[in-house]
Amino acid sequence: SLVVIPTMFPEIDLQQLRSAGFKMMIYANQALRASLKAMEEVLTKLRQTGRAVEVEDEILTLDRIHELVRFQDVRSNEQH
């Protein structure tokens, strides 16, 4: 199976990659770059306002983070 990481050619779409024989596309760079942009924006706002409350609507809640990392599963495994 062919795998592609389309960082250097963002103009090519998913259908074109599939037509070229690729079975898996990894968009890790795009996710990393998006997260860095979000961090930059939040840190800029924190520097400007000096208040964490000003970014609460722009960040994940702790509950959502716990869901994403399956925190309850980790806690359950620790108890066994």
Side-chain angles (χ1 to χ4, degrees):
S1 291
L2 291 173
V3 177
V4 65
I5 303 170
T7 300
M8 299 302 292
F9 39 94
E11 68 283 350
I12 296 177
D13 65 35
L14 186 59
Q15 187 56 43
Q16 290 172 300
L17 293 170
R18 284 187 177 147
S19 294
F22 291 98
K23 302 294 182 196
M24 180 185 293
M25 284 55 93
I26 300 173
Y27 293 103
N29 195 317
Q30 286 79 0
L32 177 62
R33 289 165 57 195
S35 66
L36 288 170
K37 180 180 180 188
M39 284 188 270
E40 181 180 44
E41 290 170 0
V42 166
L43 290 170
T44 297
K45 188 178 264 189
L46 285 169
R47 185 176 60 241
Q48 290 170 344
T49 67
R51 297 174 40 145
V53 71
E54 300 296 332
V55 297
E56 283 298 309
D57 62 335
E58 299 175 43
I59 61 176
L60 289 178
T61 64
L62 289 177
D63 286 343
R64 181 63 181 135
I65 292 169
H66 291 167
E67 288 174 24
L68 289 170
V69 300
R70 299 176 60 178
F71 185 70
Q72 282 298 83
D73 293 347
V74 172
R75 297 295 293 178
S76 294
N77 288 334
E78 286 178 351
Q79 295 172 2
H80 292 121

